Amino acid sequence: MTMEEAAGGDKLNVVLFPWLAFGHLIPYLELGKRLAARGHAVTFLSTPRNVARLPPVPAHLAPRIRLVALPAPIVEGLPEGAESTADVPPEKNELIKKALDGLAAPFAAFLADAVAGGRRPDWIVIDFCHSWVPAIADEHGVPCAAFQIVPGAMIAFFGTRSANAAHPRTTPEDFTAPPEWCASFPPGTAYRRHEARWVADAFKVNASGVSDMDRVCEITERTRFTIYRSDNEVEPAGAGVFSLLTDLWQKPAIPAGILLQPDFDGPSNDESRSGSARPEVLQWLDKQPSKSVIYVALGSETPLTAENLHEVALGLELAGVRFLWAFRKPTGISAPGTDVVELLPAGFEARTRGHGLVWTGWVPQVRVLAHGAVGAFLTHCGWGSTIEGLAFGHPLVMLPFVVDQGLIARTMEERGVGVEVARDDGDGSFGRNDVAAAVRRVMVEEERKVFSSNATKLKQVLNDQRRQDQYMDELVGYLTRYKDSNSY
């Protein structure tokens, strides 16, 4: 199905309902924009504060995208106004899941009103934790699909209930090698011991009353198929991930492409959107030589410690390269009054002034990565950031922590597009020399040419717009064909 055929055929009415985290909200909105561009109607559900913080929808798509705010529930232990994981330290994320579960009644009322008003959705597309949505949708005869914003390899690695029953994993060490059903994975595509503790915990009931594994299994079992923000080019090489997922779950696994947000340029209220002066970080980059700067961004929700930040800083200093650090105070460091100066080594900014910039304000990441002065990307391997780095052809220095980040780092190292910072396998600790060594391999030493060449080749594949459009058109074909069918 071509784009023209998709736009000229039956128009769909799709409801998108993401998890309450901006790493999910933004890809869901991008999926909505791609659907709207093909003539389909999209309703995007979240809570009031999250809706208000979304980037504006392009004017030509706005008539087909409706943003609906469901009332945010009050949850004991959550601060007032906490409606996303960005609003709380990592240890309170499970309470955000309780808040999401508290949206069941408002969602049921929304859907009943839509059906009664003649606006019955053709599809409800839900995230990994919305395990209660399918039952509500079934009452109105509305089908559901899942949309996973993590790589397909992670969902395959987690596996089905039956696969885990047949091959139980009971200790963190069990997650340090690919499971039996992932025999096609490269051998190193697994978690390190220090990461595996997080994975093992995902199989346990948390403060929300449900384990993450049960949520993933429930929505995958109860939906007609699963969509992935991914494609064959960024999954583990030779693993046949989407075929494997289809076989595991006995229903289609559909890649939607990488869904890069080329028009997302910062917060909706940022002054740069109104045509004011060029952001200062870009002005600084304008003065740097071509490919000389490593861009450093470790995510606003990464569970970093003060010691981690010190070692990254001192590693950059030891490496002796130009750097731009998009520095955000991690949510895990919540001591009142703690500022950037206290989180960096004494004298660091003075010693690196001239060739390094630590920036605490907003950074237009896509525009930074597109800048000719940037030559590499030091990243926590969040999927969105990894995709952005690869789409601009940057080799990666990788410092993963939780969730899918470890698997992403192993996959990208195996693909030869970067280097992972060496760490203690038991506790995950790393030092300045480890950071410096990885940065120099990617930015300075002869080996950098190999990483740069491989990253450039992957960039060319990921920027093949015809291929990306084909992924989306095939997804629209599934949505169109299966909306009135109980079969797969």
Side-chain angles (χ1 to χ4, degrees), residues 13-33 35-36 41-55 57 62 64-70 107 110 121 123-125 127 130 147 149:
N13 177 9
V14 180
V15 172
L16 303 179
F17 195 2
W19 161 232
L20 306 178
F22 278 86
H24 293 240
L25 291 159
I26 298 302
Y28 266 71
L29 184 59
E30 188 61 31
L31 175 64
K33 290 192 290 185
L35 293 172
V42 173
T43 300
F44 186 101
L45 299 181
S46 193
T47 57
R49 191 161 181 238
N50 290 334
V51 167
R53 290 182 287 183
L54 289 171
V57 174
R64 291 192 291 276
I65 298 180
R66 184 168 65 116
L67 304 179
V68 174
L70 302 178
F107 171 79
F110 156 81
W123 286 97
I124 299 170
V125 179
D127 214 329
H130 296 60
F147 176 36
I149 62 89

Side-chain angles (χ1 to χ4, degrees), residues 44-369:
F44 186 101
L45 299 181
S46 193
T47 57
R49 191 161 181 238
N50 290 334
V51 167
R53 290 182 287 183
L54 289 171
V57 174
H60 69 288
L61 299 179
R64 291 192 291 276
I65 298 180
R66 184 168 65 116
L67 304 179
V68 174
L70 302 178
I74 297 172
V75 174
E76 184 178 354
L78 276 184
E80 184 178 355
E83 297 182 15
S84 83
T85 57
D87 302 323
V88 296
E91 63 268 18
K92 288 189 179 287
N93 279 355
E94 309 311 336
L95 295 180
I96 296 290
K97 290 178 182 137
K98 287 189 76 171
L100 176 85
D101 293 343
L103 294 175
F107 171 79
F110 156 81
L111 186 55
D113 180 67
V115 171
R119 303 186 307 276
R120 179 193 302 272
D122 294 305
W123 286 97
I124 299 170
V125 179
I126 56 177
D127 214 329
F128 80 97
C129 50
H130 296 60
S131 52
W132 41 267
V133 167
I136 298 171
D138 285 348
E139 294 176 8
H140 299 280
V142 179
C144 293
F147 176 36
Q148 298 283 6
I149 62 89
V150 297
M154 178 182 172
I155 304 302
F157 194 98
F158 269 54
T160 62
R161 293 190 225 246
S162 59
N164 280 283
H167 304 281
R169 294 175 286 182
T170 58
T171 68
E173 285 70 24
D174 292 332
F175 297 93
T176 59
E180 296 285 337
W181 55 87
C182 290
S184 61
F185 278 27
T189 309
Y191 288 97
R192 307 287 192 232
R193 274 197 299 160
H194 64 91
E195 300 164 336
R197 284 190 289 272
W198 177 91
V199 186
D201 286 345
F203 285 69
K204 301 173 183 175
V205 173
N206 55 52
S208 72
V210 186
S211 75
D212 286 348
M213 177 62 180
D214 280 340
R215 289 180 185 269
V216 170
C217 287
E218 186 71 14
I219 68 113
T220 311
E221 292 164 359
R222 294 290 301 275
T223 53
R224 299 211 176 161
F225 51 78
T226 301
I227 307 159
Y228 292 88
R229 184 197 183 183
S230 187
D231 59 31
N232 291 304
E233 291 71 37
V234 290
E235 295 287 348
V241 165
F242 299 109
S243 295
L244 171 61
L245 286 163
T246 297
D247 290 343
L248 272 173
W249 293 98
Q250 292 298 294
K251 57 184 69 178
I254 306 164
I258 62 172
L259 300 178
L260 184 67
Q261 307 98 30
D263 58 324
F264 177 52
D265 200 26
S268 59
N269 62 349
D270 191 273
E271 61 180 8
S272 68
R273 290 187 149 310
S274 59
S276 62
R278 183 171 171 80
E280 288 183 52
V281 290
L282 298 181
Q283 294 181 47
W284 184 83
L285 285 172
D286 292 341
K287 301 171 185 175
Q288 311 307 314
S290 174
K291 300 290 185 184
S292 67
V293 175
I294 184 166
Y295 173 56
V296 183
L298 297 172
S300 59
E301 299 179 35
T302 303
L304 292 159
T305 64
E307 182 182 0
N308 293 155
L309 294 173
H310 271 240
E311 295 305 316
V312 169
L314 294 171
L316 290 170
E317 185 176 354
L318 278 174
V321 301
R322 298 172 191 267
F323 65 86
L324 167 60
W325 190 349
F327 191 98
R328 294 184 181 179
K329 177 181 167 182
T331 53
I333 300 175
S334 54
T338 306
D339 60 22
V340 174
V341 173
E342 295 175 71
L343 293 173
L344 290 172
F348 171 75
E349 288 186 276
R351 293 193 302 272
T352 57
R353 188 173 292 122
H355 71 273
L357 177 63
V358 178
W359 192 254
T360 59
W362 166 70
V363 173
Q365 180 159 294
V366 170
R367 291 174 68 186
V368 165
L369 289 168

